[in-house]
Amino acid sequence: MEDLTWMSVESIAELVRTGAASPVEVVDHFLGRIEEYDPVLHAFDYVDHVGARREAKQREADVRDERVLGPLHGVPVAVKSLIDVSGFPRHSGAGLAVHDDLVVSRLKRAGAVIVAHAGLPELRDDGLWDYQSCARNPWDPNRIAGFSSSGCAASVAAGLLPAALGSDGLGSTRLPAAHSGIIGFHCTNGLVPSVDELGRTTNYVETRGPMVRDTRDAALILDVIAGPDPRDNRGLHISLPRPSSQLGRAVEGMRFVWTDDFGVARKYAADESERVISAVRRAALSFGDLGATVEEEDEDWEDFFSALEFSIRPTGIPTAGVNGIDDADQSDGGSMNEHVAVAARERLWRRFARLFTEHDLLLSPTIHSVAPTPEVFATRVPRHRSLLMGEPKARGFHAYTGLFNWLRFPAVSVPCGFVDGLPVGLQIVGPPGSDAGILAAAHAFLGCHPPNMRPPLFEGRA
């Protein structure tokens, strides 16, 4: 069923529900896509051919026996390899997982078939990242699909699967999404609970979120995985509006504010950054054609990188002279410490809180560069694990996204065009709890500016 390749999650689930397609047909179709194209993209660490077909047969029996079907019934999905799936190899290398991560349990209860672990870049024995191992970009396989959740992005952008679940610690759903021409969502921290098989919660800046080609699919998956769980001691223990609750709402009368670079990101620009910023700005201003107002913000926001990096640094790593943070590089002019970092966070959080009393949502580029080759990426981002997001040369990579993990504000990246033939992304940010409104704005934007989401090399069977 060739048409399945580019169908939305919602459409595939409807085909299964009505009997127009069987879960076995659907899973076999996408396993075929993976077999054919993953040798080019290297998007997966592990593909469970046997288990996926077994689960598909069970989902088929559920339809035949007229059991109650979940909203994702029969839909094949990948999850990022650091998220445990029972029976899959653990990313840590410690054997097979014996329990499902909480979000995986919720996906399975909704009827999804977990087909694969989407890959992460490899960490070598010498502690250096191997950037050649990053998943390749479907728009140009000589380039990478981003970092971290790059396997999720590549697999969805190339139509190897209709959806994947990534994680976002400094932009790890949004950045690969922008580089690959899909949607990546970073939710209000705690909206999606996170508990692994050992009962541990994730770090406070990380979220889990859908990586898809359709905003309705993002809302559908978030509806399934969001909501309180008592085992997550850092999650929200109140129920926010369902992420899908405002989908279809018009943006007419809404107040947006645009920033080129927060006044700081251009210091870490790439050669193509001005052209990327210009292209994304044009897309953002088109909200005006939908009846919204878009005000351009040209104020400088303080250089937050030292405080952000101090706050999220790995435990036990000093800051002076390490991670590119030294006395000369600090906005306070002295040694970075907890008090200085917390004070910087408070100032920034209050400033954004004030901004959102005057505007509904904030617009910016997701990243001001296009997808790089592994070689170029190595010149922009340090290869040592502990320095990955700590050296000044890496700051251009997360200059627009990491701030909102730290402050715990939700954001989405949506495709908004191309520069040099490669996708670029528009980031839409809102105050905590505004996930449904962000999705509604993204849905309205993509409804009027439908992107080309079919990389020519992967449009059909070879």
Side-chain angles (χ1 to χ4, degrees), residues 79-129:
V79 299
K80 191 173 179 176
S81 62
L82 56 75
I83 300 173
D84 285 333
V85 180
S86 179
F88 281 25
R90 300 198 72 203
H91 180 67
S92 64
L96 302 181
V98 296
H99 299 287
D100 289 326
D101 188 281
L102 190 152
V103 287
V104 172
S105 297
R106 291 184 173 186
L107 289 171
K108 288 182 175 180
R109 283 202 303 271
V113 178
I114 310 301
V115 169
H117 258 159
L120 287 160
E122 294 176 7
L123 189 65
R124 302 185 329 200
D125 291 340
D126 60 4
L128 299 181
W129 293 107

Side-chain angles (χ1 to χ4, degrees), residues 125-363:
D125 291 340
D126 60 4
L128 299 181
W129 293 107
D130 179 6
Y131 292 151
Q132 293 290 341
S133 71
C134 291
R136 295 310 171 108
N137 197 300
W139 296 93
D140 179 355
N142 293 314
R143 297 171 182 265
I144 63 173
F147 192 77
S148 194
S149 299
S150 56
C152 294
S155 64
V156 172
L160 306 194
L161 286 171
L165 189 75
S167 67
D168 193 311
L170 282 171
S172 296
T173 59
R174 289 162 287 160
L175 295 167
H179 278 157
S180 303
I182 65 168
I183 299 161
F185 200 86
H186 156 61
C187 63
T188 295
N189 293 64
L191 174 66
V192 175
S194 177
V195 181
D196 69 12
E197 67 172 24
L198 299 178
R200 299 170 302 194
T201 58
T202 57
N203 66 66
Y204 84 97
V205 299
E206 183 182 285
T207 63
R208 273 85 182 273
M211 301 182 72
V212 292
R213 297 187 301 269
D214 190 302
T215 44
R216 289 168 296 194
D217 293 345
L220 178 61
I221 292 171
L222 282 168
D223 280 352
V224 166
I225 63 176
D229 187 281
R231 290 168 290 179
D232 183 358
N233 60 18
R234 290 179 178 168
L236 294 175
H237 289 269
I238 58 172
S239 294
L240 296 177
R242 285 171 65 84
S244 64
S245 62
Q246 297 180 34
L247 214 61
R249 187 191 75 181
V251 297
E252 185 176 2
M254 289 185 69
R255 304 161 301 166
F256 294 87
V257 59
W258 161 266
T259 179
D260 274 1
D261 67 345
F262 299 101
V264 298
R266 272 190 172 92
K267 288 192 288 186
Y268 311 104
D271 291 343
E272 70 273 20
S273 291
E274 289 305 321
R275 289 182 291 121
V276 172
I277 292 169
S278 178
V280 182
R281 186 195 304 115
R282 285 195 302 272
L285 294 178
S286 71
F287 271 111
D289 300 333
L290 302 178
T293 59
V294 185
E295 177 184 328
E296 296 193 56
E297 168 71 72
D298 58 4
E299 291 184 30
D300 287 353
W301 298 63
E302 66 178 277
D303 193 332
F304 49 81
F305 290 103
S306 292
L308 184 159
E309 290 156 0
F310 178 89
S311 298
I312 64 172
R313 73 198 189 285
T315 303
I317 291 181
T319 55
V322 180
N323 289 7
I325 302 172
D326 53 40
D327 290 352
D329 185 45
Q330 298 188 21
S331 57
D332 67 303
S335 279
M336 181 61 63
N337 56 47
E338 284 83 357
H339 175 75
V340 172
V342 168
R345 186 181 187 278
E346 180 186 16
R347 288 193 302 272
L348 285 160
W349 194 97
R350 291 188 183 280
R351 182 168 180 181
F352 278 109
R354 288 193 299 271
L355 181 144
F356 287 123
T357 65
E358 300 171 357
H359 302 90
D360 296 299
L361 298 171
L362 168 70
L363 308 173

